[in-house]
Amino acid sequence: MTLVLLLKTEKPNDSFKKALEENGYRAHCISALEFCYINLEELAEQLNSPEEFSGIIFTSQNAVEACAKAQSASKRDLIGKWKDKFNYVVGEATYTKAKETLGLDCKGASSGNAGKLVGQIVSDLKPEETGKFLYPKTSLKTIDLAGRLAQEGN
């Protein structure tokens, strides 16, 4: 049996691994990336000040995980006060992670990408209804979400 190494983080019911195994290969996943969460103390301070924000925008599961780590490190409930805010995610996987990890029911699960999420936020909210959003993100940048929202007047 031929061994195939997949350079990716293994997920439950991984479709690539499953397809290979169904076709007679032995598949093994090796994580190619390791995320190092920085600025968790600053993030905890922001999470502890929900009154300063209209909501949170999560563009990745790693952003959700960063908030969970910040909350865990602070040893207090930082997320509970965010449940009545305008919270958004990019995609189903990020929605599921936010729901399961933080208990936040966010909009945007069907958006698929940050560009489409901008459109949803703009159509959901009027400029006079919103202030700033907390936008935890990685240094890997694919779209300037904050800049696009500012262009739209939000």
Side-chain angles (χ1 to χ4, degrees):
M1 189 179 288
T2 303
L3 174 64
V4 177
L5 295 177
L6 298 170
L7 300 176
K8 58 182 274 191
T9 302
E10 185 170 2
K11 298 177 181 170
N13 303 315
D14 190 293
S15 61
F16 290 111
K17 185 175 179 181
K18 183 179 178 184
L20 287 166
E21 290 171 346
E22 287 173 351
N23 286 285
Y25 294 92
R26 200 173 94 220
H28 182 72
C29 294
I30 298 173
S31 292
L33 296 174
E34 179 180 334
F35 286 92
C36 179
Y37 295 95
I38 60 172
N39 301 322
L40 291 177
E41 189 173 301
E42 291 89 346
L43 179 56
E45 288 175 21
Q46 298 298 312
L47 289 170
N48 197 36
S49 303
E51 66 282 352
E52 294 181 24
F53 300 94
S54 293
I56 302 177
I57 300 173
F58 296 112
T59 57
S60 71
Q61 293 178 62
N62 290 317
V64 175
E65 187 63 30
C67 288
K69 287 183 178 295
Q71 176 169 278
S72 178
S74 74
K75 297 183 171 109
R76 54 195 162 147
D77 178 21
L78 301 175
I79 302 299
K81 295 177 184 174
W82 290 87
K83 292 185 180 187
D84 295 328
K85 299 279 186 179
F86 298 108
N87 301 310
Y88 290 90
V89 296
V90 172
E92 279 291 333
T94 306
Y95 171 82
T96 301
K97 182 81 170 179
K99 183 78 168 161
E100 292 176 356
T101 306
L102 302 174
L104 290 177
D105 189 16
C106 302
K107 294 182 177 184
S110 62
S111 63
N113 64 55
K116 289 181 181 174
L117 182 62
V118 168
Q120 180 175 354
I121 294 171
V122 169
S123 69
D124 283 355
L125 306 174
K126 296 178 182 132
E128 63 273 7
E129 292 179 316
T130 63
K132 61 184 179 177
F133 281 87
L134 181 59
Y135 178 36
K137 61 185 181 70
T138 67
S139 61
L140 302 173
K141 186 169 146 183
T142 57
I143 184 173
D144 180 13
L145 187 85
R148 292 271 309 272
L149 283 170
Q151 285 177 335
E152 297 291 336
N154 285 309

